[in-house]
Amino acid sequence: MPYLSRILLNPLRTRTQQMLHNPQTLHAAVLGGLSRQPVDERVLWRLETPHRHQHALLVLTQSIPSWEHLIEQAGWPSADEPQALTRSYEPLLAQLQRGRRFAFRLKANPTISTKKPTAPSKAQTLHLAGERPRGVRVAHRKLADQMTWLVDKLARSGCTIPTDLVNDNEVPAVRASDRQPLRFRKHGAKEGTQVILESVTFDGILHIDDTDQARQALLGGIGTGKAYGFGLLTLAPPTPSES
């Protein structure tokens, strides 16, 4: 049974800062919340900032987690307010019905696989020079390409994004924010391999067309970079203005 957790993080704690600067460190802390080690289940997570004094970590797991270590290291251990909340995800999944309308949020790393990248890295050049190579992943950096990527991914996930009429053009009812590259080094070492991902957060409205595909997308995530906080699709009832 899947579970969705929300853990509050204190940005003034040293450990929190380490996690914020390197998503690989945060990913390791997330996996540390599961008792079955090594972890063999799909885990999705996303970092959000309700306000500048607080971060909220959303985590989707397939088993019941325990977040005491995160609260001790990066939260407010003695606070009155509950620092971690975990709820069954099944009530939301039960609401997935064809034609149902939801507000959604997705923090994603939009990419495309190609054998002809515009500016290949040294590693990509070596890979493509091999015998019968597969394509390499290249980030979408233009907003139009990111939007096209989103519409296509959600369509494959059994969802349709309605359109709005803007300047006589039909555009997806989606807002893209926090469009920026995410750079960090693996294992936190100065000489470690540098990872560069293109981060963008999508907020909008979708319709459910296929309940099985939508359920799979919610539980399995969308796109690449899932270990670094991308791919978690969350749904909520639309506001009156969005209905």
Side-chain angles (χ1 to χ4, degrees):
M1 178 182 294
Y3 296 87
L4 183 67
S5 300
R6 185 219 64 185
I7 309 101
L8 300 181
L9 303 180
N10 182 351
L12 299 180
R13 300 287 296 273
T14 300
R15 187 57 174 165
T16 306
Q17 287 298 318
Q18 293 172 347
M19 294 176 183
L20 296 180
H21 285 93
N22 193 315
Q24 192 174 45
T25 302
L26 182 50
H27 179 64
V30 168
L31 295 186
L34 300 173
S35 61
R36 299 172 187 170
Q37 299 285 336
V39 176
D40 59 0
E41 65 180 68
R42 166 64 71 190
V43 178
L44 300 172
W45 59 273
R46 183 173 75 224
L47 189 64
E48 298 191 332
T49 307
H51 53 74
R52 64 190 180 92
H53 299 297
Q54 184 185 88
H55 291 269
L57 178 64
L58 299 181
V59 186
L60 181 64
T61 60
Q62 301 303 309
S63 57
I64 298 178
S66 176
W67 305 117
E68 283 83 357
H69 68 296
L70 267 176
I71 298 172
E72 284 291 334
Q73 297 173 14
W76 290 270
S78 302
D80 291 334
E81 180 184 8
Q83 299 299 292
L85 297 174
T86 299
R87 298 286 186 269
S88 170
Y89 211 44
E90 285 296 341
L92 172 66
L93 297 176
Q95 297 181 46
L96 298 179
Q97 300 175 5
R98 181 179 175 85
R100 186 78 184 267
R101 185 182 179 100
F102 290 94
F104 77 88
R105 172 169 289 179
L106 171 68
K107 182 179 180 181
N109 171 46
T111 62
I112 185 173
S113 180
T114 178
K115 291 185 178 181
K116 296 181 179 180
T118 303
S121 65
K122 183 182 295 186
Q124 289 174 337
T125 299
L126 291 174
H127 172 81
L128 293 172
E131 184 178 353
R132 304 174 68 179
R134 299 177 63 182
V136 295
R137 292 201 173 276
V138 178
H140 284 305
R141 293 186 170 85
K142 295 181 179 179
L143 177 58
D145 294 334
Q146 293 173 344
M147 287 292 189
T148 299
W149 176 91
L150 174 68
V151 172
D152 178 66
K153 284 294 184 181
L154 286 182
R156 296 183 186 185
S157 301
C159 305
T160 299
I161 300 178
T163 58
D164 293 328
L165 187 63
V166 178
N167 297 327
D168 295 327
N169 294 315
E170 295 285 342
V171 298
V174 178
R175 178 174 62 88
S177 61
D178 296 327
R179 299 176 58 240
Q180 58 185 336
L182 175 64
R183 294 184 174 90
F184 62 94
R185 292 192 179 277
K186 284 190 175 181
H187 312 299
K190 292 182 179 179
E191 65 277 6
T193 303
Q194 186 177 47
V195 178
I196 303 177
L197 305 173
E198 197 69 22
S199 176
V200 55
T201 300
F202 298 103
D203 290 279
I205 297 295
L206 59 75
H207 293 143
I208 303 296
D209 297 325
D210 187 298
T211 56
D212 290 337
Q213 290 180 340
R215 180 186 176 96
Q216 183 177 351
L218 286 170
L219 296 178
I222 293 178
T224 60
K226 297 182 180 70
Y228 303 129
F230 297 107
L232 174 60
L233 175 67
T234 52
L235 305 180
T239 63
S241 62
E242 295 171 331
S243 300

